[in-house]
Amino acid sequence: MAKKEVITTNKAALPIGPYSQGIRVGDFVFVAGEKGINPATGSIVEGGIAAETRQTFENIKAILEAAGASLDDAVRTVVYLTDIEEFSATNEVYAQYLKVDPPGRTTVAVSALPAGAQVEIELTAVLP
């Protein structure tokens, strides 16, 4: 059985609960649901859904880099939105980060997210 390794970096927002930023098992990296939290302030970035989505991806990128992977290695994402009307605006930023061979994806509208976030994205990647 493959050993579980916790992935942690201070270049991404620290968890706001009892979970790890990421877990590496074998050739896979499972990034916890990340939000648009600025790692320096611990607060959601201002500027609306586009700014939050951008910060979310910057957090994910940092966690993947700490695990030895990149966004190009993504195979699956789940996007949680508190307002499905923000789907198009979120997609614009999403497409800037996952340009080549985008992963499989699910998008779900939810009533609320921790820290008052409007968007949360979890990602699974396979190590190169």
Side-chain angles (χ1 to χ4, degrees), residues 7 9 11-12 57-67:
I7 306 299
T9 178
K11 294 180 181 177
F57 273 109
E58 290 300 319
N59 290 340
I60 292 170
K61 263 178 43 176
I63 295 164
L64 288 173
E65 287 171 5

Side-chain angles (χ1 to χ4, degrees), residues 1-126:
M1 177 176 237
K3 184 179 180 206
K4 177 173 84 169
E5 175 188 352
V6 173
I7 306 299
T8 304
T9 178
N10 62 2
K11 294 180 181 177
L14 295 175
I16 57 175
Y19 60 89
S20 300
Q21 290 172 316
I23 297 288
R24 178 180 176 175
V25 177
D27 290 338
F28 288 94
V29 178
F30 302 91
V31 177
E34 291 298 311
K35 293 164 271 316
I37 297 174
N38 179 326
T41 66
S43 299
I44 296 288
V45 296
E46 295 182 8
I49 194 70
E52 275 193 50
T53 305
R54 199 168 296 107
Q55 183 63 56
T56 299
F57 273 109
E58 290 300 319
N59 290 340
I60 292 170
K61 263 178 43 176
I63 295 164
L64 288 173
E65 287 171 5
S70 74
L71 288 170
D72 290 341
D73 302 312
V75 294
R76 181 176 187 272
T77 61
V78 180
V79 178
Y80 302 92
L81 294 171
T82 58
D83 183 355
I84 202 67
E85 297 298 321
E86 299 286 9
F87 185 74
S88 293
T90 303
N91 273 340
E92 287 181 32
V93 177
Y94 186 100
Q96 294 170 9
Y97 282 89
L98 297 167
K99 299 176 187 177
V100 180
D101 300 326
R105 172 177 138 178
T106 301
T107 302
V108 179
V110 297
S111 62
L113 290 166
Q118 299 176 75
V119 61
E120 182 170 330
I121 301 172
E122 62 182 73
L123 183 143
T124 302
V126 62

